[in-house]
Amino acid sequence: MDQLGTEGEPGTFLQPKCLEELESPTDSGSDYEATMKGTKRRKPAVSKQPPKRTRHNAALKGISSTSGNSVPTPPGPSPQSISQGTSMQLSARSVRSMNEESQIISAKDIYDAVCSGKSAMVTVVDEWLDSYKRSREAGLLVLINFIVQSCGCKGVVTRKMFDSMQNAEIISTLTKEFNEDSVNYPLCTPGPQLKRFKAGLCEFARVLVRSCRNSLVYDEYLFPSLLALLTGLSDSQVRAFRHTSTLLAIKLMTGLVEVAVVVSVQLQTTQQQYNTENSKRAHDRASDRLEELQATIRELRENREELSSMMNATFRGVFVHRYRDQLPEIRAVCIEELGLWLKMDPEDFLNDGCLKYLGWTMHDKQSPVRLQCVRALQGLYQEKEFIGRLELFTSRFKERILSMVLDKDPDVAVEVVNLLLLIQQRTEEGLDEEDCGHIYPLVYASHRGLASAAGGFLYNKLKSVITSHSQENDKANNADFFQILISFYIQSEFHEHGAYLVDSLWHVAGSELRDWETMTTFLLQDDELMCEEEGVLIELMMCAIRQAAQATPPVGRTQGKKNLSMKDKKIQEQDKRRITTHFIPLLPQLLAKYSADARNVKLLLKAPLYFDLEMYSSAQWLEKHLDLLLSQVCGIVEKHTEVAVLEACAHLASTLSSDCYTFSSRAQLAFSQLFDVLTECFSTYVNDLLQVGECGTADDDDTYSGATALKRIAALSSAKDPTAWKLFDSCLELLKSRMESRELDKELMVPAMKCAAFHLMWAKVNVVNSKPTEAELKRLKKEVRSFCRVCQDCLCLNQIDIRDQAFELLCDLLLLYSVGSVRSEPALRALAHLPSDSLRSELAAFLLDYVFTDTEDVELDAESEEEMKISLLQKKRNQLAGYCKLVIYGVLDLTAATDVFKHYSKYFKDFGDIIKETLSKSKLINPVQSAKTVCLSLQQLFSEMLTEHRSRQDLTEIRDLAKRLAMSFGIDLHRVRKPLVALHMDGIRFAFRDPQEGEEPNPNVAFLEILSEFSFKLLQPDRAQLAEFLKSACPSAALSWPPVKLYQRSLEARSTSKATEQEGGDEVPSHDTPVVKRRRTTAQGSASTTRGSWLDNSSIQSSLHTPALTSTVQKQPAKRMASRKPRPMESDISSSLAEPESEDEFSPGLQMRKVKPNKRRLASSSKNTPSPRQQDLNSNLNLLSLIEDDISERDEDEIEDYQSDSDTGYTLPSTRHTSVSVLDELFD
């Protein structure tokens, strides 16, 4: 290990002996003892003009000595350190006159100036220095009381205490007086006051050292005495003392380091002058000049030696023990200042003995400490001259730094990536490809700051590769950039995440990603790129167009609702105009080239959505490009049958046909002509398709042609009103004929169902916007009833796609034609369609059979198993949300929600958010009925348990569900009084209902155990009311049964809030035994074979103003919180970090050792048995507010080997998994 100097050598800071003491096992594992002086202070006579001081180097060297004991010792004769020896010497003279005393600035004046943050700190320090020069004892006493007041202590150090007590005795007395009611102190007071006070305190320390740097810092009284007190306070059990004194001591040390650097520079300069003068010939030398330089050198060496002694004492007395303090704020302050020392004074600090602390604290369990550590390292790696000294540290801790890119705190991970970028740029070895592989995937992370930092790292790497093959112009460089970026995207294998890669690179590579000319040149030229590379470039280009036109991050990276500034809006408008101008003439060419490629054309069709479409009307020559675009879109519709491509065409058709554009009539005409062609094609085959069975005349080609035409019509129907073409009857007859013959062709029936449903939806829009006749309304209602009957029959089919489509369309149409949808239009009330009882049962059975089933039970293809599971889950969420909306909007009774509520616990991971929102909405509709529905769902589960003769474990599962449902009632107990009373009364009636024929008496009494889970929400008057109701409802013999006694105990428990005289819940009618639905069994699995769109929020594409259809967004599963294990009581004075022995810790061949926490045992009698002084002290302390060895403080995190890479990882955003809340869309 490199050493800073040898013992006794002038200018050294940490001598080898001191380092050995620091690294010894006994020192590293012990608490620092604030050493105290037992002897009386000497009181030498001090004249008004004190003579020039003499140096006491031996005494100053004693500042750095520490004791190895972990328990503070009582005062005794031990002249050791500053906190013992160089304490506050008193003058033998009497106190100054009252006139002089009145001119001394008070501690309160300094404290008020620091708190306000508005006072000029230089003026405050100058006033205090004036008083100190008049009487240094009185001035020092003011400073001491200022420190005490800054700690939040109301105690005062009097002149008598100052004269007769040592530091340890003063601290002990102040601790006894520190009996505050609040645990807050100035440095932890929340709000802006904290920042203002902390900044003022740090500024005071800085200005104090700077004002004293030429004189008082060397007077062997002020700073040694001040540091002695601060060192003692930093070892206090009182957090306020320890935190404040550590901050002040560390800040004073930073000031001393600045002074020491200046002195070192002066010493070096003076030494050079002396050497130059001394090298002259004898007759040319100036003896007076040499003597003057020698005296200056001697004085500067003494100054440097004295500064080193004070710094050494502070480093060993404060930093070495407080950098591992239990309070993370203290640890963070220590590491932050250490980074400054390393950068300001590399000659004394930038060595392995000090760098090891940064290496160790990278394993700290608290993120603010790790953050300061990484920032300190950034400051070091920014300096090129430090790189050589950091080589050993880099090789030793590079593995740990790389693992921190997956830190739990994204802010730490961001700074780590920036640190690795510095290491990559500054060091010769840099990072190899394996090391960079830890950072590259972070460009896809969900945290935008982390992704942007990783994007900067990736961009730097790409530019370095381009520079090594530098070209002659920027365009060529941009072409190389895109080729390398395409290769990276292909190799990363995170397909469908191009938007996140573009967003990560946007702030550093915005100019390259806006180079539309280079990208389109690549795409329009032949043989420039491979097919896969062209697809990737089109995806990245479309993502860049979206980013530039919308100026918003992709889904999952939105950080709050941040409004764009005027500058950003101006840039956005400019980008949108440039995109439109460039792509209007080129887009038809791109669509023509890639019209046969479904994936690429689907992406290119999104481009006009980001155009400034008004530009088509701005010039006549641009209209021909509009005609070319419309022609290409119609050609794509006629060429493709893929659902995603047809939906993209429909979306574009809807946009171009909007009445807000002057050219909309041309677009409407083009799509009407397309509709005519498709309708004619379908009409050609419809008669043959209706003839099924043996007499059928349609062959496979006819069926395929009719089905493809119907698919295209169904897709366009979402954007254009199809009612004029009167396709409903044909589609309905086609569905009926196929159902009757059981010739189920999903390729034909699914688009037929969509066409018929869109016809009914557009018809509803038309009747709302016009005045229909009574005959038209009757015909429309008949069509709705007929279509719903066909869809109901489809719910029983084993064809997955037909069955699922029928369920989704039923949910949409029942909502669109519900009573509530026509309540505001009296003329349209005849259109209201209510579901029949059989349809209600079929819908509920569909949930039980196909939604609330385990995905693992479904047989899936092994190659696409994971993808199919996700797709199937999204479809189930879509269907469940559709059913829940029927309940919320009153189409189904609230009791229909029992089939949803009783699966809340079992399927919480997949559907918990939807069920919870349904619960919440139902409480707003009818609180009492909602509570009864909750009770009814539990009754149904209980009845199922009895019917199927299941075990006691099932009762436990029902109780767990009851606990979860009880939490949904919230914390406002007065608001939920009536619903809860109604729930309990229903439950009691159910528990003691009359037995049916063949049943044992009181079969449901065990239901009271489930009901008891809701008792903690009851108010005291309601508990008494329910207790009486229980006695009246149950037989007298049943009062001794265990379930009844358990329920009574739950009612007898005292309420957490005071009972108020309010009336209880109303009497509610009793319910019969709930009907248990039987799950339908099928011969085949219910696996989904259709891969739906990940972002579809509705079962079918519709632009109607209906409640938002079901979202398919899947919530990210919440990580389980690791429960804390109880730990033995620990003193918070020292940390649980045991410093490893450091003789060989930086050896290159050694593996990185883990810093393990040093567990303390309660069995140690030496630590558990308090001394008489401690007993007296503790009797005067408010332990709950001051001493931190209670249970809550024991749970604070300590420094330990924090494996951030083992239990966390970057969150990969997805276009399939969005983090936005979809529940507002579901139920708004």
Side-chain angles (χ1 to χ4, degrees):
M1 183 182 296
D2 297 338
Q3 305 294 345
L4 291 169
T6 57
E7 188 172 7
E9 192 175 13
T12 60
F13 172 53
L14 292 177
Q15 289 80 11
K17 180 178 179 181
C18 298
L19 283 178
E20 290 174 2
E21 292 176 358
L22 278 177
E23 297 160 357
S24 64
T26 56
D27 178 73
S28 62
S30 63
D31 298 335
Y32 174 68
E33 175 192 357
T35 52
M36 300 164 288
K37 181 173 180 180
T39 58
K40 293 292 184 180
R41 291 190 181 89
R42 292 174 296 170
K43 303 179 182 178
V46 180
S47 60
K48 292 185 180 180
Q49 299 294 333
K52 186 175 181 179
R53 57 182 174 79
T54 58
R55 307 280 179 182
H56 299 285
N57 292 332
L60 288 174
K61 288 179 181 177
I63 293 174
S64 63
S65 62
T66 60
S67 172
N69 297 331
S70 58
V71 180
T73 58
S78 176
Q80 295 275 333
S81 63
I82 291 181
S83 58
Q84 292 175 321
T86 321
S87 55
M88 302 160 287
Q89 301 177 358
L90 301 178
S91 173
R93 297 196 169 198
S94 58
V95 183
R96 295 178 183 271
S97 64
M98 293 300 295
N99 185 35
E100 291 177 339
E101 287 285 345
S102 62
Q103 298 177 0
I104 297 177
I105 186 173
S106 66
K108 187 177 184 305
D109 296 334
I110 304 176
Y111 179 79
D112 292 340
V114 169
C115 287
S116 66
K118 300 178 181 178
S119 304
M121 205 56 65
V122 176
T123 304
V124 175
V125 172
D126 287 345
E127 291 181 10
W128 177 84
L129 287 176
D130 291 340
S131 65
Y132 177 81
K133 291 174 183 177
R134 289 193 296 270
S135 171
R136 64 181 191 177
E137 291 84 3
L140 183 58
L141 184 60
V142 169
L143 195 57
I144 290 173
N145 280 314
F146 161 67
I147 295 173
V148 172
Q149 191 171 358
S150 298
C151 294
C153 179
K154 296 181 179 178
V156 177
V157 180
T158 63
R159 191 58 178 266
K160 181 179 180 182
M161 294 169 59
F162 183 80
D163 187 14
S164 60
M165 293 184 181
Q166 305 304 313
N167 285 341
E169 296 171 327
I170 293 175
I171 294 172
S172 176
T173 302
L174 292 174
T175 303
K176 293 178 181 179
E177 296 177 359
F178 204 139
N179 190 18
E180 307 298 327
D181 295 332
S182 173
V183 296
N184 288 336
Y185 51 95
L187 271 184
C188 75
T189 303
Q193 182 181 356
L194 167 62
K195 294 183 179 179
R196 188 165 59 246
F197 178 78
K198 184 176 180 180
L201 195 63
C202 297
E203 177 69 8
F204 177 81
R206 186 187 67 82
V207 173
L208 178 62
V209 177
R210 178 164 294 186
S211 300
C212 301
R213 65 182 182 271
N214 295 324
S215 57
L216 295 180
V217 76
Y218 308 112
D219 72 346
E220 293 186 341
Y221 180 76
L222 173 60
F223 280 89
S225 302
L226 186 59
L227 291 174
L229 178 67
L230 293 174
T231 302
L233 286 172
S234 69
D235 195 45
S236 172
Q237 281 188 320
V238 179
R239 177 190 292 189
F241 283 154
R242 199 170 68 256
H243 188 183
T244 310
S245 60
T246 300
L247 176 63
L248 274 172
I250 294 297
K251 289 295 182 180
L252 288 175
M253 169 105 172
T254 301
L256 293 176
V257 171
E258 291 180 357
V259 176
V261 170
V262 174
V263 172
S264 297
V265 172
Q266 292 174 347
L267 178 60
Q268 184 179 3
T269 303
T270 308
Q271 185 67 50
Q272 290 176 353
Q273 293 174 351
Y274 176 82
N275 294 338
T276 302
E277 188 69 27
N278 194 38
S279 63
K280 296 179 181 178
R281 289 178 295 183
H283 64 276
D284 292 334
R285 295 175 188 165
S287 56
D288 295 341
R289 175 65 173 164
L290 285 176
E291 290 179 2
E292 182 182 351
L293 290 174
Q294 277 184 330
T296 304
I297 291 172
R298 194 162 44 247
E299 183 178 0
L300 289 174
R301 282 180 175 172
E302 289 178 352
N303 292 347
R304 185 65 176 85
E305 187 175 343
E306 187 165 345
L307 289 170
S308 296
S309 298
M310 287 188 289
M311 290 191 302
N312 195 9
T314 307
F315 188 88
R316 299 187 67 241
V318 180
F319 175 84
V320 168
H321 301 282
R322 298 281 69 81
Y323 91 95
R324 54 197 176 111
D325 192 279
Q326 188 167 350
L327 193 65
E329 289 85 351
I330 295 179
R331 302 201 299 270
V333 166
C334 292
I335 297 303
E336 180 182 7
E337 296 304 308
L338 176 62
L340 296 177
W341 305 338
L342 291 166
K343 194 171 182 179
M344 286 190 300
D345 192 2
E347 295 301 323
D348 287 341
F349 287 93
L350 192 57
N351 55 60
D352 299 340
C354 294
L355 285 172
K356 66 182 181 183
Y357 297 108
L358 294 181
W360 290 342
T361 50
M362 280 193 293
H363 297 266
D364 196 286
K365 200 171 183 180
Q366 292 293 324
S367 59
V369 185
R370 299 196 301 275
L371 183 63
Q372 292 299 337
C373 179
V374 175
R375 286 176 176 170
L377 290 173
Q378 287 178 359
L380 299 180
Y381 280 99
Q382 286 172 351
E383 305 295 333
K384 290 185 177 180
E385 58 270 19
F386 293 171
I387 300 301
R389 302 188 185 190
L390 293 169
E391 287 182 358
L392 194 55
F393 177 87
T394 304
S395 61
R396 175 71 171 80
F397 290 102
K398 184 172 73 172
E399 181 182 351
R400 172 58 186 163
I401 296 174
L402 287 170
S403 70
M404 290 177 69
V405 298
L406 302 181
D407 196 278
K408 281 185 176 180
D409 188 340
D411 295 334
V412 177
V414 169
E415 297 300 333
V416 170
V417 173
N418 294 332
L419 172 61
L420 289 170
L421 179 58
L422 288 174
I423 295 176
Q424 170 72 12
Q425 293 174 334
R426 305 290 175 148
T427 59
E428 294 181 2
E429 298 82 3
L431 301 176
D432 55 30
E433 283 303 316
E434 184 180 357
D435 297 334
C436 295
H438 290 78
I439 307 170
Y440 292 154
L442 297 177
V443 296
Y444 301 104
S446 60
H447 188 272
R448 197 180 190 196
L450 177 58
S452 298
F457 184 92
L458 174 62
Y459 180 76
N460 180 266
K461 188 70 174 179
L462 297 180
K463 296 300 284 187
S464 64
V465 174
I466 295 172
T467 305
S468 61
H469 304 84
S470 59
Q471 300 290 335
E472 60 279 0
N473 54 54
D474 292 338
K475 289 296 181 183
N477 286 343
N478 286 355
D480 292 340
F481 172 81
F482 283 115
Q483 288 181 329
I484 299 174
L485 184 62
I486 290 169
S487 299
F488 169 80
Y489 185 64
I490 293 174
Q491 294 174 10
S492 66
E493 298 182 353
F494 286 111
H495 303 303
E496 301 182 15
H497 289 78
Y500 300 93
L501 175 60
V502 169
D503 183 62
S504 301
L505 293 169
W506 195 253
H507 71 293
V508 290
S511 59
E512 288 90 344
L513 293 173
R514 288 184 176 93
D515 189 358
W516 318 118
E517 183 179 352
T518 301
M519 287 188 273
T520 51
T521 302
F522 264 129
L523 294 173
L524 292 174
Q525 291 179 355
D526 296 329
D527 302 328
E528 283 288 334
L529 299 172
M530 303 291 290
C531 292
E532 184 181 13
E533 293 175 336
E534 287 180 341
V536 169
L537 181 57
I538 289 175
E539 181 181 353
L540 295 178
M541 180 181 72
M542 293 308 305
C543 294
I545 290 174
R546 188 209 65 81
Q547 186 89 10
Q550 294 185 345
T552 56
V555 174
R557 283 192 182 167
T558 305
Q559 298 176 348
K561 295 182 179 179
K562 182 179 179 181
N563 296 325
L564 294 177
S565 62
M566 294 301 296
K567 180 180 178 181
D568 292 336
K569 288 182 179 179
K570 186 177 181 180
I571 295 174
Q572 178 191 4
E573 293 172 359
Q574 292 175 352
D575 286 339
K576 202 168 185 177
R577 284 196 297 269
R578 289 170 186 161
I579 291 170
T580 307
T581 304
H582 180 79
F583 280 96
I584 278 181
L586 295 180
L587 183 60
Q589 301 177 38
L590 292 171
L591 290 174
K593 180 177 179 180
Y594 296 101
S595 61
D597 190 330
R599 180 178 181 274
N600 290 333
V601 78
K602 178 187 67 175
L603 294 171
L604 290 171
L605 285 170
K606 295 179 180 178
L609 304 177
Y610 307 112
F611 288 177
D612 183 5
L613 293 176
E614 290 291 350
M615 291 186 67
Y616 277 115
S617 307
S618 62
Q620 188 173 2
W621 64 275
L622 290 176
E623 293 182 357
K624 66 176 183 179
H625 296 297
L626 175 62
D627 294 336
L628 289 173
L629 176 62
L630 294 173
S631 175
Q632 288 295 331
V633 173
C634 294
I636 291 170
V637 171
E638 294 177 341
K639 188 179 297 184
H640 286 273
T641 59
E642 290 83 356
V643 175
V645 176
L646 295 177
E647 288 177 350
C649 291
H651 193 185
L652 179 57
S654 176
T655 302
L656 296 177
S657 301
S658 176
D659 294 334
C660 62
Y661 301 115
T662 56
F663 58 80
S664 61
S665 59
R666 305 177 65 164
Q668 291 171 2
L669 177 62
F671 291 119
S672 295
Q673 294 173 350
L674 175 61
F675 225 106
D676 290 337
V677 173
L678 295 175
T679 305
E680 183 180 355
C681 179
F682 173 68
S683 301
T684 304
Y685 301 101
V686 66
N687 291 328
D688 294 336
L689 293 175
L690 288 174
Q691 297 178 8
V692 295
E694 296 180 356
C695 60
T697 59
D699 56 12
D700 292 341
D701 292 338
D702 294 340
T703 303
Y704 175 78
S705 299
T708 53
L710 207 52
K711 276 186 180 180
R712 292 163 182 152
I713 294 173
L716 287 178
S717 295
S718 65
K720 186 170 181 61
D721 183 3
T723 55
W725 284 268
K726 302 186 183 302
L727 296 172
F728 177 80
D729 293 335
S730 299
C731 293
L732 187 62
E733 289 299 323
L734 182 60
L735 291 171
K736 287 181 178 180
S737 63
R738 292 287 169 167
M739 290 292 294
E740 291 174 358
S741 64
R742 291 296 172 179
E743 293 185 13
L744 306 177
D745 185 356
K746 67 177 183 180
E747 298 296 331
L748 186 63
M749 293 184 66
V750 171
M753 294 171 67
K754 285 187 176 181
C755 285
F758 274 124
H759 175 91
L760 297 176
M761 292 180 180
W762 281 103
K764 173 68 182 300
V765 173
N766 293 336
V767 298
V768 169
N769 296 330
S770 62
K771 294 182 178 180
T773 63
E774 186 177 351
E776 291 175 342
L777 292 178
K778 287 183 178 180
R779 181 173 51 82
L780 179 57
K781 185 172 183 179
K782 182 179 178 182
E783 291 175 349
V784 172
R785 188 184 302 111
S786 300
F787 181 74
C788 289
R789 191 177 299 115
V790 172
C791 289
Q792 180 179 346
D793 295 337
C794 292
L795 294 179
C796 304
L797 300 178
N798 287 329
Q799 287 283 345
I800 300 172
D801 298 291
I802 300 175
R803 183 184 64 218
D804 291 347
Q805 189 67 66
F807 181 85
E808 294 169 1
L809 291 176
L810 274 173
C811 291
D812 293 340
L813 286 174
L814 289 175
L815 198 60
L816 188 62
Y817 284 90
S818 65
V819 176
S821 66
V822 295
R823 186 176 292 118
S824 59
E825 299 286 342
L828 302 180
R829 289 179 182 176
L831 280 180
H833 176 71
L834 297 177
S836 62
D837 292 341
S838 60
L839 179 55
R840 297 169 191 264
S841 300
E842 288 290 343
L843 292 173
F846 184 93
L847 285 185
L848 299 177
D849 291 338
Y850 306 115
V851 175
F852 293 116
T853 56
D854 294 328
T855 307
E856 290 75 9
D857 298 339
V858 182
E859 296 180 3
L860 296 173
D861 185 7
E863 296 181 359
S864 58
E865 181 177 0
E866 191 64 29
E867 185 175 352
M868 289 298 294
K869 282 183 178 179
I870 297 174
S871 177
L872 183 58
L873 177 60
Q874 292 210 4
K875 182 177 288 188
K876 287 181 177 181
R877 288 173 56 83
N878 185 35
Q879 294 163 352
L880 176 62
Y883 183 85
C884 291
K885 283 183 292 183
L886 295 180
V887 175
I888 291 172
Y889 289 102
V891 179
L892 300 177
D893 295 335
L894 204 55
T895 54
T898 56
D899 296 311
V900 177
F901 294 165
K902 63 186 180 183
H903 295 95
Y904 186 34
S905 183
K906 184 177 181 180
Y907 294 95
F908 183 81
K909 178 181 178 182
D910 295 336
F911 311 118
D913 56 336
I914 299 176
I915 301 176
K916 183 178 180 181
E917 188 70 10
T918 307
L919 268 169
S920 176
K921 296 290 184 182
S922 67
K923 288 181 173 60
L924 297 178
I925 297 170
N926 190 330
V928 174
Q929 189 61 36
S930 174
K932 291 183 177 182
T933 304
V934 168
C935 185
L936 183 60
S937 63
L938 296 172
Q939 292 173 17
Q940 288 183 1
L941 284 176
F942 185 82
S943 298
E944 290 177 13
M945 182 189 71
L946 296 181
T947 304
E948 300 176 12
H949 303 288
R950 286 185 278 181
S951 62
R952 176 82 182 181
Q953 182 180 357
D954 296 291
L955 182 61
T956 305
E957 293 177 359
I958 301 175
R959 290 190 65 174
D960 292 339
L961 171 61
K963 290 179 183 178
R964 194 181 289 272
L965 291 172
M967 297 304 296
S968 67
F969 283 89
I971 59 175
D972 188 353
L973 303 185
H974 293 276
R975 185 173 59 86
V976 297
R977 283 188 70 182
K978 288 186 177 182
L980 279 174
V981 171
L983 182 147
H984 278 269
M985 286 185 172
D986 273 9
I988 294 172
R989 292 190 186 98
F990 175 74
F992 296 104
R993 69 169 177 80
D994 296 332
Q996 296 180 359
E997 185 177 354
E999 284 186 345
E1000 298 179 358
N1002 299 314
N1004 301 333
V1005 70
F1007 185 77
L1008 292 177
E1009 296 185 28
I1010 301 171
L1011 196 60
S1012 65
E1013 300 296 342
F1014 295 88
S1015 299
F1016 75 101
K1017 292 283 186 180
L1018 292 169
L1019 294 178
Q1020 197 64 33
D1022 299 333
R1023 294 171 185 264
Q1025 176 188 352
L1026 289 173
E1028 292 298 326
F1029 183 78
L1030 175 66
K1031 292 179 181 179
S1032 63
C1034 73
S1036 58
L1039 294 175
S1040 60
W1041 295 349
V1044 179
K1045 293 177 67 176
L1046 186 148
Y1047 182 65
Q1048 285 180 323
R1049 285 197 300 271
S1050 70
L1051 293 178
E1052 292 170 359
R1054 285 196 173 186
S1055 175
T1056 54
S1057 59
K1058 292 184 178 180
T1060 56
E1061 297 298 326
Q1062 292 188 4
E1063 188 174 343
D1066 297 333
E1067 191 71 18
V1068 293
S1070 61
H1071 286 281
D1072 296 329
T1073 305
V1075 178
V1076 182
K1077 289 188 174 59
R1078 184 175 59 190
R1079 186 183 298 272
R1080 183 195 298 122
T1081 58
T1082 56
Q1084 300 179 4
S1086 58
S1088 174
T1089 58
T1090 301
R1091 192 178 164 194
S1093 174
W1094 293 100
L1095 292 179
D1096 292 343
N1097 285 336
S1098 64
S1099 57
I1100 50 180
Q1101 296 296 318
S1102 173
S1103 58
L1104 302 181
H1105 298 286
T1106 59
L1109 302 182
T1110 307
S1111 171
T1112 60
V1113 181
Q1114 178 186 5
K1115 286 188 68 178
Q1116 295 284 354
K1119 295 184 178 180
R1120 293 184 178 180
M1121 297 295 292
S1123 59
R1124 293 182 182 270
K1125 295 183 178 180
R1127 298 181 294 184
M1129 183 179 294
E1130 301 167 6
S1131 168
D1132 72 347
I1133 302 175
S1134 71
S1135 158
S1136 61
L1137 173 66
E1139 296 181 23
E1141 298 182 12
S1142 52
E1143 285 81 358
D1144 58 351
E1145 63 187 357
F1146 278 75
S1147 300
L1150 292 181
Q1151 295 292 329
M1152 183 186 296
R1153 288 194 296 271
K1154 295 182 177 180
V1155 184
K1156 297 182 178 180
N1158 177 23
K1159 301 292 184 183
R1160 302 193 177 202
R1161 300 182 179 273
L1162 286 172
S1164 175
S1165 60
S1166 62
K1167 294 186 179 182
N1168 283 341
T1169 305
S1171 64
R1173 177 180 294 274
Q1174 289 172 326
Q1175 292 176 350
D1176 178 69
L1177 171 63
N1178 292 337
S1179 65
N1180 292 278
L1181 286 177
N1182 184 348
L1183 296 178
L1184 293 178
S1185 62
L1186 298 177
I1187 306 302
E1188 299 169 331
D1189 56 357
D1190 54 62
I1191 296 176
S1192 62
E1193 296 300 334
R1194 275 181 274 139
D1195 285 341
E1196 287 194 15
D1197 293 325
E1198 305 162 13
I1199 304 178
E1200 64 179 26
D1201 186 10
Y1202 172 64
Q1203 295 295 334
S1204 60
D1205 54 328
S1206 63
D1207 57 357
T1208 185
Y1210 60 89
T1211 304
L1212 182 66
S1214 173
T1215 55
R1216 306 173 181 178
H1217 302 267
T1218 63
S1219 62
V1220 296
S1221 175
V1222 301
L1223 299 175
D1224 291 339
E1225 298 178 2
L1226 290 178
F1227 302 114
D1228 189 8

